[in-house]
């Protein structure tokens, strides 16, 4: 993609196609920038970093399947973090 707004909307071709931005191909959206790279405090990181790289940056919630405490409901999906 060639976005410069952080890839937050369906205007981004990657978001529209349900794909994560590729740091080798999507250079304009700064998907290659790691969230852990050092920036000065005067830089607004959220306006720089591509918001469509959650899997690459391991920025997701861990979940697990387990038996629900609600009677007769079976299994449920639970947040592990």
């Amino acid at each position: 993609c060639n976005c410069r707004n952080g890839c937050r909307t369906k205007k981004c071709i990657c978001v529209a196609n349900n794909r994560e931005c590729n740091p080798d191909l999507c250079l304009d959206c700064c998907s290659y920038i790691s969230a852990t790279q050092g920036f000065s405090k005067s830089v607004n990181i959220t306006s720089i970093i591509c918001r469509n790289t959650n899997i690459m940056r391991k920025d997701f919630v861990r979940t697990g399947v387990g038996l629900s405490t609600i009677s007769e409901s079976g299994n449920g999906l639970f947040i592990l973090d």
Side-chain angles (χ1 to χ4, degrees), residues 67-78:
L67 189 59
S68 176
T69 57
I70 301 171
S71 63
E72 299 182 24
S73 61
N75 291 332
L77 184 66
F78 299 93

Side-chain angles (χ1 to χ4, degrees), residues 2-28:
N2 56 3
C3 300
R4 294 180 190 264
N5 65 353
C7 302
R8 295 179 182 96
T9 64
K10 295 275 186 184
K11 290 181 182 178
C12 172
I13 193 168
C14 296
V15 173
N17 289 310
N18 293 321
R19 302 206 185 276
E20 190 166 89
C21 289
N22 184 335
D24 294 329
L25 302 174
C26 305
L27 301 177
D28 289 338

Side-chain angles (χ1 to χ4, degrees), residues 17-45:
N17 289 310
N18 293 321
R19 302 206 185 276
E20 190 166 89
C21 289
N22 184 335
D24 294 329
L25 302 174
C26 305
L27 301 177
D28 289 338
C29 71
C30 297
S31 61
Y32 57 88
I33 294 177
S34 169
T36 59
Q37 286 181 347
F39 290 100
S40 68
K41 292 185 180 183
S42 63
V43 175
N44 183 1
I45 293 176

Side-chain angles (χ1 to χ4, degrees), residues 35-76:
T36 59
Q37 286 181 347
F39 290 100
S40 68
K41 292 185 180 183
S42 63
V43 175
N44 183 1
I45 293 176
T46 57
S47 67
I48 293 174
I49 295 177
C50 175
R51 302 294 285 264
N52 191 30
T53 56
N54 295 339
I55 297 172
M56 180 183 75
R57 290 186 286 128
K58 297 181 181 175
D59 184 21
F60 48 86
V61 177
R62 290 182 4 172
T63 58
V65 176
L67 189 59
S68 176
T69 57
I70 301 171
S71 63
E72 299 182 24
S73 61
N75 291 332

